[in-house]
Amino acid sequence: MGQEAHYPHALPTSAADAAGAGAGASAAAASRLFTAGLVAAWYASNIGVLLLNKYLLSVYGFRFPVFLTACHMSACALLSTLAHAAAGHGSSGSSTPARRRSRGQLARVAVLGAVFCASVVAGNVSLRYLPVSFNQAVGATTPFFTAVLAYAVAARREAFATYAALIPVVAGVVIATGGEPSFHLFGFIMCVGATAGRALKTVLQGILLSSEEEKMNSMDLLRYMAPVAVILLVPATLIMEHEAFGVVVTLAREDPNFIWILLCNSSMAYFVNLTNFLVTKHTSPLTLQVLGNAKGAVAVVVSIMIFRNPVTFMGMLGYGITVAGVVLYGEAKKRSK
């Protein structure tokens, strides 16, 4: 009489099931690794362009923020066009021809491009006068300006708890300002202007490109906005910083590394947008918010380590309160939906 075989563990019913389970686990691990790589690239490009901007405008002595922004936007226009062409969109052999844009939509994109351009210029100007750590503290108040401008421009109201969460956001910057040993009034005004400009672009983007026919992803929007910014910035450079071109030629002769630094910095400006788009696509909104808050903190620590700018307990306390307020704001907004 034969005995039944008893197995201590449940096994897959077939080798195919086992192989499928293994393949699924490998795919999940590969997906996590890919997302982690995207986040690392997002951090590296974002912090890298910020630190290179500070180095060029403040440490290196290249005091031409409008020209530098024009370089950034030129790189964004060129690289986004090349990426679009490489993807095959709109080409004769493409199976999905590009959607034609109306004149009205292109005009609205031009408005966004002008606002985006102004905010980037103001941000670069502020880096001439302020340390990166304080710049990031002020930049963390973007949700405050977004909420205020959404109400002023679009009459969009938030719940009371959402507005209440903005109190520590502003209070933290007030504390950080009082404790900032390198405070510069003009730099602070430019930094606040840059932050408000980014918030206004977000609000206007939601209004001007809200219909199903006009929806574009962030990379397509960049492809249309960047040339507009270049058209605005080149004349502005000639008027406001006409000596910039001569200085670039002189610096290139004296230090060949300068051109490579400028090219790397300009290319990074594009990859900031590209990696932000990809991270947004592959993570949840909550994850993106947490990663964004952490990114600001990492940028502060790295900048202090590199530039050795003096910091005070009050300054770091203020920045910490602002970040905590941003987290509370995100939670309050999520619950109100």
Side-chain angles (χ1 to χ4, degrees), residues 246-268:
V247 172
V248 168
V249 173
T250 302
L251 289 174
R253 289 173 179 170
E254 295 175 353
D255 181 11
N257 291 328
F258 170 75
I259 291 298
W260 292 109
I261 293 172
L262 192 60
L263 287 173
C264 179
N265 180 245
S266 301
S267 300
M268 273 191 178

Side-chain angles (χ1 to χ4, degrees), residues 66-270:
V66 179
F67 176 84
L68 185 62
T69 308
C71 292
H72 290 177
M73 292 300 101
S74 298
C76 287
L78 175 62
L79 293 174
S80 59
T81 300
L82 290 175
H84 181 77
H89 296 295
S91 63
S92 57
S94 174
S95 59
T96 56
R99 177 186 297 170
R100 295 181 64 86
R101 306 292 175 186
S102 67
R103 288 186 179 181
Q105 185 183 16
L106 293 177
R108 287 186 278 273
V109 170
V111 172
L112 288 175
V115 173
F116 178 57
C117 173
S119 68
V120 175
V121 169
N124 286 338
V125 170
S126 74
L127 286 172
R128 280 188 56 185
Y129 304 98
L130 298 177
V132 174
S133 53
F134 187 59
N135 181 281
Q136 289 294 286
V138 177
T141 61
T142 301
F144 167 77
F145 288 101
T146 303
V148 171
L149 290 170
Y151 179 75
V153 175
R156 193 169 68 229
R157 297 185 179 184
E158 303 285 354
F160 175 78
T162 305
Y163 287 121
L166 292 172
I167 295 175
V169 172
V170 178
V173 170
V174 172
I175 294 172
T177 300
E180 176 53 54
S182 304
F183 180 80
H184 190 284
L185 180 59
F186 179 70
F188 176 72
I189 292 171
M190 287 293 100
C191 194
V192 171
T195 306
R198 286 193 296 270
L200 179 60
K201 173 185 168 289
T202 300
V203 173
L204 291 178
Q205 186 173 328
I207 297 171
L208 301 180
L209 302 173
S210 57
S211 68
E212 287 296 326
E213 295 78 14
E214 296 188 346
K215 279 188 176 177
M216 289 187 281
N217 64 46
S218 60
M219 295 312 295
D220 281 336
L221 185 59
L222 179 67
R223 183 165 58 90
Y224 284 100
M225 286 196 309
V228 173
V230 174
I231 291 170
L232 294 172
L233 287 167
V234 170
T237 302
L238 292 172
I239 295 170
M240 300 168 63
E241 300 174 351
H242 58 275
E243 70 274 24
F245 297 97
V247 172
V248 168
V249 173
T250 302
L251 289 174
R253 289 173 179 170
E254 295 175 353
D255 181 11
N257 291 328
F258 170 75
I259 291 298
W260 292 109
I261 293 172
L262 192 60
L263 287 173
C264 179
N265 180 245
S266 301
S267 300
M268 273 191 178
Y270 169 73

